[in-house]
Protein backbone atom coordinates (compact mmCIF):
# COMPACT_ATOMS: atom_id res chain seq x y z
CA UNK A 1 0.00 0.00 0.00
CA UNK A 2 1.31 3.42 -0.96
CA UNK A 3 0.48 6.43 1.18
CA UNK A 4 1.39 10.10 1.24
CA UNK A 5 4.22 10.97 3.59
CA UNK A 6 2.14 13.17 5.92
CA UNK A 7 0.05 10.16 6.91
CA UNK A 8 2.95 9.36 9.25
CA UNK A 9 3.24 12.56 11.27
CA UNK A 10 5.94 11.10 13.54
CA UNK A 11 8.48 11.60 10.74
CA UNK A 12 7.59 15.20 9.72
CA UNK A 13 9.03 18.20 11.55
CA UNK A 14 9.21 21.98 11.22
CA UNK A 15 11.59 24.78 12.10
CA UNK A 16 11.03 26.68 15.32
CA UNK A 17 9.65 30.21 15.33
CA UNK A 18 13.16 31.69 15.12
CA UNK A 19 14.00 29.67 11.99
CA UNK A 20 16.15 27.06 13.71
CA UNK A 21 15.88 23.30 13.56
CA UNK A 22 16.58 21.26 16.68
CA UNK A 23 17.10 17.52 16.77
CA UNK A 24 14.95 16.67 19.76
CA UNK A 25 14.71 13.14 21.22
CA UNK A 26 11.50 12.76 19.18
CA UNK A 27 13.33 13.64 15.95
CA UNK A 28 16.15 11.20 16.70
CA UNK A 29 13.72 8.42 17.66
CA UNK A 30 11.81 8.93 14.41
CA UNK A 31 14.99 8.76 12.33
CA UNK A 32 16.08 5.57 14.07
CA UNK A 33 12.64 3.97 13.73
CA UNK A 34 11.76 4.90 10.13
CA UNK A 35 15.18 5.64 8.63
CA UNK A 36 14.24 9.16 7.57
CA UNK A 37 12.85 12.50 8.70
CA UNK A 38 11.31 15.38 6.77
CA UNK A 39 11.93 19.00 7.66
CA UNK A 40 9.22 21.23 6.22
CA UNK A 41 10.37 24.64 5.02
CA UNK A 42 14.08 24.23 5.67
CA UNK A 43 14.63 26.85 2.95
CA UNK A 44 12.50 29.92 2.34
CA UNK A 45 11.28 30.73 -1.17
CA UNK A 46 14.14 33.20 -1.58
CA UNK A 47 16.75 30.69 -0.40
CA UNK A 48 15.32 27.97 -2.64
CA UNK A 49 15.55 30.30 -5.63
CA UNK A 50 19.23 30.96 -4.88
CA UNK A 51 19.88 27.21 -4.85
CA UNK A 52 17.96 26.87 -8.11
CA UNK A 53 20.33 29.40 -9.68
CA UNK A 54 23.07 26.84 -9.07
CA UNK A 55 21.38 24.64 -11.65
CA UNK A 56 20.31 27.41 -13.98
CA UNK A 57 23.26 29.81 -14.14
CA UNK A 58 26.35 28.59 -12.20
CA UNK A 59 28.96 29.00 -14.98
CA UNK A 60 31.19 26.23 -13.62
CA UNK A 61 28.34 23.73 -13.38
CA UNK A 62 26.70 24.32 -16.77
CA UNK A 63 29.27 22.41 -18.87
CA UNK A 64 29.38 19.54 -16.36
CA UNK A 65 25.74 18.47 -16.69
CA UNK A 66 25.29 15.06 -18.25
CA UNK A 67 22.32 12.86 -19.23
CA UNK A 68 21.48 9.47 -17.80
CA UNK A 69 18.92 7.14 -19.36
CA UNK A 70 16.68 4.69 -17.55
CA UNK A 71 15.79 1.27 -18.92
CA UNK A 72 13.14 2.76 -21.23
CA UNK A 73 15.45 5.41 -22.64
CA UNK A 74 13.87 8.31 -20.72
CA UNK A 75 16.50 10.82 -19.69
CA UNK A 76 17.43 12.55 -16.46
CA UNK A 77 20.09 15.24 -16.24
CA UNK A 78 22.70 15.29 -13.49
CA UNK A 79 25.66 17.22 -12.19
CA UNK A 80 27.80 15.73 -9.40
CA UNK A 81 30.66 17.31 -7.43
CA UNK A 82 32.79 16.65 -4.37
CA UNK A 83 33.81 19.79 -2.53
CA UNK A 84 31.46 21.60 -0.13
CA UNK A 85 31.65 24.94 -1.90
CA UNK A 86 31.33 28.56 -0.83
CA UNK A 87 28.35 29.26 -3.07
CA UNK A 88 24.63 28.53 -2.84
CA UNK A 89 24.72 24.73 -2.92
CA UNK A 90 27.64 24.41 -0.52
CA UNK A 91 26.32 26.90 2.02
CA UNK A 92 23.05 24.98 2.28
CA UNK A 93 24.93 21.75 2.97
CA UNK A 94 27.16 23.41 5.56
CA UNK A 95 24.41 25.30 7.38
CA UNK A 96 23.80 24.77 11.08
CA UNK A 97 20.21 23.76 10.36
CA UNK A 98 21.19 20.97 7.96
CA UNK A 99 24.78 19.90 8.74
CA UNK A 100 24.16 20.42 12.45
CA UNK A 101 21.05 18.24 12.29
CA UNK A 102 22.88 15.50 10.38
CA UNK A 103 25.66 15.44 12.98
CA UNK A 104 23.06 14.92 15.71
CA UNK A 105 21.34 12.16 13.74
CA UNK A 106 24.59 10.31 12.96
CA UNK A 107 26.32 11.04 16.27
CA UNK A 108 29.66 12.27 14.94
CA UNK A 109 31.36 15.04 12.99
CA UNK A 110 30.30 14.83 9.33
CA UNK A 111 31.91 15.86 6.09
CA UNK A 112 30.65 16.46 2.57
CA UNK A 113 30.85 13.19 0.66
CA UNK A 114 29.37 14.58 -2.54
CA UNK A 115 26.45 16.59 -3.89
CA UNK A 116 24.35 16.29 -7.00
CA UNK A 117 21.58 18.00 -8.86
CA UNK A 118 19.04 15.56 -10.29
CA UNK A 119 16.70 17.03 -12.86
CA UNK A 120 13.72 15.24 -14.38
CA UNK A 121 12.50 17.35 -17.30
CA UNK A 122 8.75 17.55 -17.97
CA UNK A 123 7.27 14.49 -19.71
CA UNK A 124 10.62 12.85 -20.35
CA UNK A 125 12.37 12.70 -16.96
CA UNK A 126 13.37 9.10 -16.35
CA UNK A 127 12.95 6.81 -13.36
CA UNK A 128 15.26 5.41 -10.70
CA UNK A 129 14.91 1.75 -9.77
CA UNK A 130 14.73 0.32 -6.23
CA UNK A 131 18.10 0.67 -4.50
CA UNK A 132 19.94 1.64 -1.34
CA UNK A 133 22.56 4.39 -1.57
CA UNK A 134 24.86 2.08 0.36
CA UNK A 135 24.36 -0.40 -2.46
CA UNK A 136 26.70 1.92 -4.37
CA UNK A 137 28.79 3.19 -1.47
CA UNK A 138 29.62 -0.29 -0.14
CA UNK A 139 31.98 -0.62 -3.09
CA UNK A 140 33.83 2.56 -2.06
CA UNK A 141 35.47 0.94 1.01
CA UNK A 142 32.94 2.48 3.41
CA UNK A 143 32.14 0.10 6.25
CA UNK A 144 29.42 1.59 8.46
CA UNK A 145 26.14 2.45 6.69
CA UNK A 146 24.69 3.96 9.88
CA UNK A 147 27.29 6.71 9.49
CA UNK A 148 26.01 7.90 6.09
CA UNK A 149 22.89 9.68 4.93
CA UNK A 150 21.50 11.85 2.15
CA UNK A 151 19.72 15.19 2.40
CA UNK A 152 17.22 15.34 -0.48
CA UNK A 153 16.25 18.99 -0.93
CA UNK A 154 13.24 19.89 -3.06
CA UNK A 155 14.13 22.74 -5.39
CA UNK A 156 10.73 22.32 -7.09
CA UNK A 157 7.42 21.15 -5.69
CA UNK A 158 7.55 17.36 -5.88
CA UNK A 159 4.36 15.36 -6.32
CA UNK A 160 3.36 11.88 -7.48
CA UNK A 161 2.97 12.95 -11.12
CA UNK A 162 6.43 14.49 -11.53
CA UNK A 163 8.43 11.62 -10.07
CA UNK A 164 8.41 11.90 -6.29
CA UNK A 165 10.58 9.61 -4.21
CA UNK A 166 9.06 6.38 -2.91
CA UNK A 167 10.57 4.85 0.22
CA UNK A 168 10.07 1.75 2.34
CA UNK A 169 10.00 3.01 5.95
CA UNK A 170 12.13 0.95 8.32
CA UNK A 171 13.97 -0.85 5.51
CA UNK A 172 17.26 0.59 6.79
CA UNK A 173 17.08 -2.08 9.50
CA UNK A 174 17.27 -4.87 6.91
CA UNK A 175 21.00 -4.37 6.31
CA UNK A 176 22.70 -4.11 2.94
CA UNK A 177 20.75 -5.94 0.25
CA UNK A 178 22.43 -7.53 -2.76
CA UNK A 179 22.44 -5.19 -5.76
CA UNK A 180 22.93 -6.03 -9.42
CA UNK A 181 23.97 -3.71 -12.23
CA UNK A 182 21.04 -2.74 -14.43
CA UNK A 183 21.96 -0.46 -17.35
CA UNK A 184 23.51 2.67 -15.75
CA UNK A 185 21.97 1.99 -12.34
CA UNK A 186 22.14 -0.81 -9.81
CA UNK A 187 19.02 -2.52 -8.49
CA UNK A 188 18.30 -4.15 -5.15
CA UNK A 189 17.24 -7.80 -5.11
CA UNK A 190 13.60 -7.46 -6.18
CA UNK A 191 12.42 -10.56 -4.32
CA UNK A 192 13.53 -8.95 -1.08
CA UNK A 193 12.13 -5.57 -2.14
CA UNK A 194 8.69 -7.13 -2.68
CA UNK A 195 8.86 -8.77 0.74
CA UNK A 196 9.76 -5.50 2.46
CA UNK A 197 7.06 -3.63 0.51
CA UNK A 198 4.44 -6.05 1.79
CA UNK A 199 5.85 -6.11 5.31
CA UNK A 200 6.63 -2.40 5.78
CA UNK A 201 4.59 -0.57 3.14
CA UNK A 202 5.63 2.14 0.70
CA UNK A 203 5.35 5.88 1.24
CA UNK A 204 5.39 8.54 -1.45
CA UNK A 205 7.45 11.53 -0.39
CA UNK A 206 5.44 14.60 -1.35
CA UNK A 207 7.60 17.70 -0.84
CA UNK A 208 7.14 21.41 -1.29
CA UNK A 209 9.91 23.62 -2.60
CA UNK A 210 12.33 24.15 0.29
CA UNK A 211 11.48 20.93 2.17
CA UNK A 212 14.19 18.36 2.85
CA UNK A 213 14.07 14.61 3.34
CA UNK A 214 17.04 13.20 5.28
CA UNK A 215 17.36 9.44 4.86
CA UNK A 216 19.63 6.60 6.01
CA UNK A 217 22.05 5.13 3.47
CA UNK A 218 20.33 1.72 3.66
CA UNK A 219 16.72 2.81 3.17
CA UNK A 220 15.17 1.38 0.01
CA UNK A 221 13.90 4.04 -2.38
CA UNK A 222 13.01 4.66 -6.02
CA UNK A 223 11.21 7.22 -8.18
CA UNK A 224 9.00 7.04 -11.27
CA UNK A 225 9.17 8.91 -14.54
CA UNK A 226 8.09 12.55 -14.63
CA UNK A 227 4.80 12.39 -16.56
CA UNK A 228 3.79 15.96 -15.75
CA UNK A 229 4.35 19.24 -17.55
CA UNK A 230 6.51 20.45 -14.62
CA UNK A 231 10.22 19.95 -13.97
CA UNK A 232 11.41 18.01 -10.91
CA UNK A 233 14.71 19.38 -9.61
CA UNK A 234 16.44 18.12 -6.45
CA UNK A 235 19.70 18.96 -4.72
CA UNK A 236 20.93 15.80 -2.98
CA UNK A 237 23.78 16.13 -0.47
CA UNK A 238 25.51 12.99 0.79
CA UNK A 239 27.23 13.05 4.19
CA UNK A 240 29.70 10.70 5.83
CA UNK A 241 31.12 10.76 9.34
CA UNK A 242 34.74 11.35 10.21
CA UNK A 243 34.95 7.98 11.99
CA UNK A 244 33.75 6.21 8.82
CA UNK A 245 36.58 7.58 6.69
CA UNK A 246 37.00 5.29 3.64
CA UNK A 247 39.86 2.83 4.04
CA UNK A 248 40.87 3.14 0.38
CA UNK A 249 40.90 6.19 -1.90
CA UNK A 250 38.20 6.21 -4.59
CA UNK A 251 36.31 8.64 -6.82
CA UNK A 252 34.67 10.49 -3.89
CA UNK A 253 36.68 12.19 -1.14
CA UNK A 254 38.03 10.88 2.09
CA UNK A 255 37.52 12.86 5.27
CA UNK A 256 38.05 16.60 4.98
CA UNK A 257 36.90 19.03 7.66
CA UNK A 258 33.68 20.81 6.68
CA UNK A 259 33.30 24.10 8.59
CA UNK A 260 29.64 24.84 9.28
CA UNK A 261 28.13 28.24 8.52
CA UNK A 262 25.27 30.19 10.06
CA UNK A 263 21.77 29.76 8.69
CA UNK A 264 21.80 33.23 7.16
CA UNK A 265 24.97 32.57 5.12
CA UNK A 266 23.00 31.68 1.98
CA UNK A 267 21.09 34.96 1.97
CA UNK A 268 24.33 36.86 2.58
CA UNK A 269 25.89 35.09 -0.39
CA UNK A 270 22.87 36.12 -2.46
CA UNK A 271 23.98 39.75 -2.22
CA UNK A 272 27.08 39.01 -4.34
CA UNK A 273 26.35 35.67 -6.06
CA UNK A 274 29.99 34.80 -6.61
CA UNK A 275 30.13 31.22 -7.88
CA UNK A 276 32.84 28.91 -6.56
CA UNK A 277 35.33 27.70 -9.17
CA UNK A 278 36.92 25.10 -6.87
CA UNK A 279 34.20 22.42 -7.00
CA UNK A 280 35.57 19.12 -8.30
CA UNK A 281 32.98 17.73 -10.71
CA UNK A 282 32.34 14.08 -11.33
CA UNK A 283 33.07 12.80 -14.82
CA UNK A 284 30.34 10.46 -16.14
CA UNK A 285 33.09 8.39 -17.76
CA UNK A 286 34.33 7.64 -14.24
CA UNK A 287 30.77 6.74 -13.30
CA UNK A 288 30.62 4.20 -16.12
CA UNK A 289 33.98 2.74 -15.10
CA UNK A 290 32.77 2.51 -11.49
CA UNK A 291 29.59 0.71 -12.58
CA UNK A 292 31.65 -1.72 -14.66
CA UNK A 293 33.83 -2.41 -11.62
CA UNK A 294 30.72 -3.19 -9.56
CA UNK A 295 29.58 -5.64 -12.24
CA UNK A 296 32.99 -7.34 -12.27
CA UNK A 297 32.90 -7.77 -8.49
CA UNK A 298 29.43 -9.29 -8.73
CA UNK A 299 30.63 -11.81 -11.32
CA UNK A 300 33.55 -12.81 -9.15
Amino acid sequence: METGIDSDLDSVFKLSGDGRFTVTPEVLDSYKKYGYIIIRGLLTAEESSLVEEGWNVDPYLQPRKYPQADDKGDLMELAVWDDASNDATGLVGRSENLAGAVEKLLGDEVYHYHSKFLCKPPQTGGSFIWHQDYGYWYHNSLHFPDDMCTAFIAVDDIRQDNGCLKIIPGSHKCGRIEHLKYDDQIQADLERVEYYKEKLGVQEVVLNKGDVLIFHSNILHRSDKNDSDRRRLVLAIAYNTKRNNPTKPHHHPQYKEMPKVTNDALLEWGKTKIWDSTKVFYDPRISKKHMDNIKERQVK
Side-chain angles (χ1 to χ4, degrees):
M1 180 179 68
E2 295 183 359
T3 59
I5 201 75
D6 276 339
S7 64
D8 186 357
L9 295 178
D10 288 345
S11 62
V12 181
F13 302 93
K14 297 180 180 179
L15 304 182
S16 61
D18 61 359
R20 298 177 183 274
F21 183 72
T22 302
V23 176
T24 63
E26 292 75 19
V27 172
L28 186 57
D29 287 347
S30 184
Y31 180 78
K32 289 180 177 179
K33 179 178 180 181
Y34 300 111
Y36 69 89
I37 62 166
I38 289 175
I39 307 173
R40 295 288 186 204
L42 178 81
L43 302 180
T44 65
E46 182 179 359
E47 291 168 331
S48 298
S49 295
L50 291 173
V51 172
E52 182 179 4
E53 288 189 33
W55 177 256
N56 292 336
V57 304
D58 177 352
Y60 304 106
L61 183 142
Q62 301 311 305
R64 306 313 296 266
K65 297 178 181 180
Y66 64 92
Q68 179 174 300
D70 65 11
D71 61 319
K72 295 180 176 60
D74 293 311
L75 293 176
M76 296 156 279
E77 197 170 14
L78 293 85
V80 185
W81 62 95
D82 285 342
D83 290 346
S85 57
N86 290 305
D87 56 22
T89 55
L91 295 174
V92 170
R94 293 165 52 201
S95 69
E96 285 286 353
N97 269 349
L98 187 51
V102 169
E103 287 192 337
K104 294 291 193 305
L105 294 174
L106 302 187
D108 190 36
E109 177 188 346
V110 298
Y111 72 98
H112 179 263
Y113 190 50
H114 61 269
S115 287
K116 66 179 73 172
F117 273 119
L118 302 101
C119 182
K120 295 190 177 191
Q123 303 294 335
T124 62
S127 62
F128 280 97
I129 52 186
W130 282 110
H131 69 282
Q132 301 166 309
D133 285 349
Y134 193 64
Y136 289 84
W137 299 341
Y138 170 84
H139 297 278
N140 298 346
S141 72
L142 291 151
H143 298 279
F144 296 99
D146 288 346
D147 282 16
M148 306 189 75
C149 72
T150 297
F152 186 88
I153 303 170
V155 185
D156 294 325
D157 290 340
I158 300 178
R159 302 290 185 266
Q160 289 92 339
D161 64 346
N162 68 340
C164 74
L165 213 64
K166 297 181 179 182
I167 62 175
I168 300 179
S171 57
H172 65 300
K173 298 179 180 179
C174 301
R176 183 180 74 92
I177 299 166
E178 190 65 48
H179 285 64
L180 296 175
K181 185 177 183 293
Y182 191 78
D183 292 330
D184 288 331
Q185 302 181 39
I186 62 171
Q187 180 167 267
D189 180 341
L190 287 182
E191 184 176 342
R192 286 181 176 264
V193 169
E194 289 302 316
Y195 173 80
Y196 298 136
K197 285 168 62 178
E198 183 175 345
K199 194 80 172 175
L200 301 172
V202 176
Q203 288 192 326
E204 296 178 312
V205 184
V206 173
L207 299 173
N208 297 319
K209 183 174 182 175
D211 293 346
V212 60
L213 166 75
I214 302 175
F215 60 92
H216 190 286
S217 70
N218 260 345
I219 202 163
L220 283 161
H221 59 287
R222 65 154 291 136
S223 63
D224 292 333
K225 178 188 173 186
N226 181 2
D227 288 320
S228 77
D229 59 1
R230 308 181 318 280
R231 182 190 68 179
R232 194 214 78 166
L233 180 63
V234 169
L235 172 64
I237 304 172
Y239 295 94
N240 186 30
T241 63
K242 179 179 179 179
R243 67 189 173 207
N244 194 35
N245 194 27
T247 51
K248 296 179 182 177
H250 58 277
H251 56 283
H252 289 312
Q254 293 180 287
Y255 167 76
K256 179 180 179 181
E257 184 181 4
M258 183 185 72
K260 290 192 288 295
V261 297
T262 59
N263 295 323
D264 61 359
L266 176 56
L267 290 178
E268 286 298 313
W269 173 87
K271 297 174 181 178
T272 60
K273 296 185 181 179
I274 298 174
W275 297 100
D276 193 336
S277 63
T278 66
K279 291 195 290 288
V280 178
F281 285 93
Y282 191 47
D283 188 328
R285 292 172 295 183
I286 297 175
S287 177
K288 184 180 186 307
K289 181 178 179 182
H290 180 56
M291 295 297 293
D292 290 343
N293 287 339
I294 289 177
K295 185 176 180 180
E296 287 176 7
R297 290 169 187 164
Q298 291 164 345
V299 171
K300 292 176 182 178

